[in-house]
Amino acid sequence: MMPGIYEKSVKDKWEVTEVLVPRSEALGGDVKVLLHAPMSEHSDLPLVVWIHGGGTTLNECRDNYGADVFNAVNATMETTATFCWASVEYHLAPEKRFPQGVDDVCHAFEALRAPALAEAHGYDPEKIHLAGVSGGAFYAAHAGVRLAKSGVQLASLGLLYVMGDPLMVGKSHRLHGDLPACPGSWLAWSWRVLLAEGGPEAGDGAPSAERLRAGSVLLLDWAALRGTPVLDALASCDVLYDDGVSLGKVMREAGLEVEEFCALGSHAMAHLFDKAAADKLFGWFRRALAP
């Protein structure tokens, strides 16, 4: 992520406030969240909790990709003060292994449901959505299911170009693993350091079969999210294409309402070069965030 791009993306569009969600060091320490609210007066707006991409090993909550997505969504709205969004700073691998990032996202999501915090920033704690891209979609998927199983209702779940299956056995891994948008060799390394046993001092050995099963979004208890609108965004020439296709099938078999589209291109930038796909992506968010 290049310095200054995030700042340019949010300038004169969003009022940004850094919030530190307290948590004991034993559980991972405080979680930083950047709350983005419309510049104009507002109250009781829906909130999107956004999880940045980067294979779970790169990037931060100052995320220009997320800012660009929500700027584009905002541009499709009839008025500009229609939603808020919050970008979560989760622990990266290999410094912290799975499921620490899931813990971070869930802790932030739960904290953002506090009525006092919601009132202070002008959003409705009963209308909180969850979305992420690539590695962030991996964490959004795990966190969404965990939250739903604990009784927390998500307003919607948006999964963009999801990093889903650590086995990497789909045909798309062979066909598109050499493309630079998301190289297969880097993706394999990211899975390995995310799911390896122990902390970083233990090295990056091959994950056990148990850890591989625990990490796969294909094996989550998706039935817990029945009734929640879900987006499954794919890219045609993406190493992760088969992950998204398989996940969409699993979610539909579990009884979920899944809207799926495939952009013509490679990985997370594909919709930028496919207007029809961009319209579907931003249109889904617009409908999900409608009053």
Side-chain angles (χ1 to χ4, degrees):
M1 188 176 299
M2 297 180 66
I5 295 182
Y6 163 78
E7 286 75 13
K8 291 179 181 178
S9 294
V10 300
K11 184 179 179 181
D12 300 327
K13 296 182 177 70
W14 305 97
E15 181 179 342
V16 183
T17 305
E18 180 178 315
V19 175
L20 280 180
V21 180
R23 184 177 57 178
S24 70
E25 287 298 326
L27 295 177
D30 298 345
V31 180
K32 182 168 75 173
V33 176
L34 292 186
L35 270 167
H36 302 73
M39 304 292 288
S40 56
E41 186 175 348
H42 62 279
S43 63
D44 296 326
L45 298 180
L47 172 72
V48 183
V49 177
W50 173 253
I51 317 302
H52 70 78
T56 75
T57 62
L58 297 172
N59 297 334
E60 57 170 314
C61 62
R62 293 166 60 256
D63 179 29
N64 60 282
Y65 182 97
D68 289 345
V69 166
F70 294 118
N71 287 344
V73 173
N74 209 25
T76 71
M77 300 292 197
E78 293 184 1
T79 61
T80 55
T82 52
F83 68 94
C84 303
W85 62 285
S87 184
V88 178
E89 182 87 329
Y90 57 84
H91 284 89
L92 300 177
E95 286 73 24
K96 294 291 183 179
R97 315 282 196 188
F98 174 84
Q100 181 64 61
V102 184
D103 299 342
D104 298 341
V105 173
C106 288
H107 187 69
F109 192 101
E110 292 272 27
L112 289 165
R113 298 174 68 222
L117 185 61
E119 183 178 2
H121 294 280
Y123 65 87
D124 186 341
E126 299 301 320
K127 297 178 181 177
I128 303 184
H129 306 249
L130 181 60
V133 60
S134 191
F138 165 82
Y139 278 138
H142 275 276
V145 170
R146 184 193 291 184
L147 288 164
K149 291 181 73 174
S150 72
V152 176
Q153 179 66 48
L154 276 65
S156 73
L157 177 64
L159 304 176
L160 283 61
Y161 315 107
V162 64
M163 176 178 164
D165 183 7
L167 295 180
M168 297 179 61
V169 295
K171 185 178 179 181
S172 63
H173 290 279
R174 298 190 301 274
L175 290 177
H176 309 305
D178 291 334
L179 296 179
C182 185
S185 57
W186 172 76
L187 180 63
W189 173 82
S190 296
W191 277 122
R192 188 170 68 251
V193 300
L194 176 66
L195 298 177
E197 305 284 351
E201 69 284 350
D204 302 330
S208 66
E210 180 180 2
R211 292 281 288 170
L212 291 170
R213 287 192 299 271
S216 176
V217 303
L218 305 181
L219 300 179
L220 293 174
D221 183 9
W222 285 103
L225 279 165
R226 283 178 185 160
T228 301
V230 179
L231 173 68
D232 182 24
L234 316 174
S236 61
C237 297
D238 187 4
V239 68
L240 297 172
Y241 172 81
D242 285 336
D243 291 32
V245 170
S246 297
L247 178 58
K249 180 180 178 181
V250 167
M251 291 190 293
R252 286 188 291 271
E253 288 176 348
L256 273 63
E257 307 167 21
V258 182
E259 185 169 330
E260 186 176 290
F261 74 85
C262 183
L264 300 176
S266 181
H267 199 47
M269 309 302 285
H271 63 272
L272 298 181
F273 306 97
D274 183 342
K275 185 180 184 304
D279 289 344
K280 290 178 181 178
L281 172 61
F282 305 140
W284 182 86
F285 275 108
R286 183 179 66 251
R287 293 189 300 276
L289 295 168

